[in-house]
Amino acid sequence: MSSVLVTAQLPPKAMDILEQAVAVEILPTGADVQALRDASRGRHAIVSLLTNRVDAALLDAAGPSLKVVSNVAVGYDNIDVAAARERGVIVTNTPDVLTNATAELTWGLILAVTRRLGEGERLVRDGRWTGWSLDFMTGMELSGKQLGILGSGRIGRAVAAKAAAFGMTAVFSSRHGAGEIDGHPVMSVDELIATSDVLSLHVPLRPDTRHLINRAALERMKRTAYLVNTARGPVVDEAALASALKERVIAGAALDVFEREPIVHPDLLGLENVVLVPHIGSATHETRSGMAELAARNVVAVLAGKPPLTPVG
Ligand code: NAP
Ligand code: GLV
């Protein structure tokens, strides 16, 4: 029977899918890098989380028996895909099943930052609310504004699809030139950054997207604009963002992802014009279960000699 290492307990349905086909071992909570390497030795598959670094050293520790690394995430910047390919190891991810949940969270963040929900909640809980007044806690109305979407893939398009409900005009930038995507205009990255009232990031983390939003990009944004990041932390230069928010180079930001999770840049923690949530884009019961089931099905397919359902690359 094939032997599979799962780096964390999965929801019951996903465990059932695996346990009906393979022998499963769950990595103990809190295991360090060396413990993960040791536990990987001789496995046929590893089910990884985005918090597990799957590099050449881990692949070598697993050894030649390893056939598949199944990531329970759509982003796979935690995996050295080239090293896996060199060793004949298939890598899979979990696209589509999390698109809607992540798009919903993105809209939650857009509303939270433009209407100052975090700031207002802190005020009420701290007993600092002194009453209603005309100019109190005013934010930006979404209707009539431009939502710029950087990364016109599954999640970016799902976010755009909900823009009309708020009266926003969604625009995209794409590496594939001008035109339209789902009826929304496509413009250059520079124009998107310079003209959007809300700029929402939906690109994967790759060498060309690392610090795509740096000080220069923030300075090109409108002073009244908001940045929302549900993609990956390192797409934004967090130190540059913290100073830009402090200096009011932009109006505000909402972040689900961070450069060194779970550490958040200390300067962000003291700012009122940033909403901070702990990487919960796909965190609904339905979606996390769907992700784990898809990851399990990928393992079972590959170990049965069938094509993976959702291979990477
Ligand atoms: P996707 O369908 O692959 O979409 C990514 C899009 O980004 C593609 O359209 C791609 O364009 C575009 N892109 C890549 N590099 C670019 C660049 N340098 N400039 C402009 N566009 C670029 O992926 P997805 O399913 O939408 O997921 C997107 C990312 O969201 C994931 O990689 C993950 O990091 C993140 N995510 C986060 C959470 C969360 O919990 N916060 C949840 C799910 C996903 P091409 O078509 O030209 O390659
Ligand atoms: C979550 O961040 C994912 O990439 O699935």
Side-chain angles (χ1 to χ4, degrees):
M1 204 181 212
S2 297
S3 165
V4 176
L5 178 71
V6 178
T7 66
Q9 175 77 44
L10 302 177
K13 260 193 179 168
M15 291 304 291
D16 284 352
I17 292 166
L18 284 174
E19 281 163 352
Q20 279 170 24
V22 296
V24 182
E25 186 170 320
I26 302 169
L27 190 70
T29 310
D32 63 9
V33 170
Q34 190 54 50
L36 172 57
R37 284 184 195 158
D38 291 345
S40 299
R41 193 151 298 129
R43 305 290 176 186
H44 298 96
I46 299 173
V47 178
S48 55
L49 303 186
L50 58 81
T51 47
N52 303 128
R53 182 134 302 283
V54 181
D55 54 12
L58 178 63
L59 296 165
D60 287 340
S65 57
L66 188 66
K67 299 278 175 292
V68 56
V69 174
S70 177
N71 213 32
V72 191
V74 69
Y76 50 90
D77 46 279
N78 58 310
I79 300 177
D80 185 340
V81 176
R85 196 173 297 129
E86 277 166 24
R87 289 158 180 77
V89 175
I90 291 170
V91 177
T92 65
N93 67 344
T94 59
D96 299 315
V97 289
L98 45 55
T99 295
N100 185 63
T102 311
E104 286 183 358
L105 194 270
T106 303
W107 277 102
L109 290 178
I110 292 172
L111 288 162
V113 70
T114 56
R115 298 303 298 273
R116 306 170 62 174
L117 301 188
E119 195 183 344
E121 235 240 350
R122 283 189 290 279
L123 193 93
V124 173
R125 284 184 188 276
D126 293 352
R128 289 183 286 118
W129 182 32
T130 52
W132 196 95
S133 68
L134 260 185
D135 60 353
F136 176 63
M137 279 246 150
T138 49
M140 184 186 80
E141 191 133 347
L142 295 181
S143 183
K145 302 297 194 309
Q146 176 175 303
L147 170 64
I149 295 184
L150 195 43
S152 51
R154 291 169 290 247
I155 298 170
R157 290 168 61 176
V159 171
K162 299 180 194 301
F166 294 97
M168 292 191 85
T169 305
V171 300
F172 285 106
S173 79
S174 165
R175 299 184 293 179
H176 308 294
E180 281 192 352
I181 295 173
D182 300 339
H184 305 292
V186 174
M187 49 179 66
S188 71
V189 175
D190 279 350
E191 193 184 354
L192 185 94
I193 289 174
T195 60
S196 293
D197 299 297
V198 176
L199 177 64
S200 192
L201 308 179
H202 301 286
V203 291
L205 175 60
R206 300 211 182 122
D208 64 329
T209 60
R210 184 175 290 274
H211 286 193
L212 189 64
I213 303 301
N214 53 18
R215 175 75 192 198
L218 291 161
E219 283 179 355
R220 284 202 304 279
M221 288 174 69
K222 293 182 177 182
R223 287 189 84 83
T224 50
Y226 296 84
L227 176 72
V228 176
N229 187 9
T230 58
R232 280 290 182 269
V235 174
V236 176
D237 178 342
E238 226 170 74
L241 175 63
S243 12
L245 289 169
K246 209 181 292 177
E247 296 159 26
R248 298 273 171 179
V249 171
I250 62 170
L255 309 174
D256 180 44
V257 287
F258 300 87
E259 281 204 80
R260 293 192 305 132
E261 294 177 8
I263 296 166
V264 176
H265 194 291
D267 290 355
L268 289 174
L269 296 172
L271 294 173
E272 288 291 7
N273 56 345
V274 63
V275 175
L276 307 168
V277 295
H279 203 149
I280 52 171
S282 64
T284 65
H285 303 298
E286 299 88 338
T287 287
R288 285 290 163 81
S289 203
M291 290 164 68
E293 285 163 43
L294 178 53
R297 287 187 208 287
N298 271 312
V299 167
V300 172
V302 173
L303 296 185
K306 295 183 188 151
L309 283 77
T310 49
V312 154

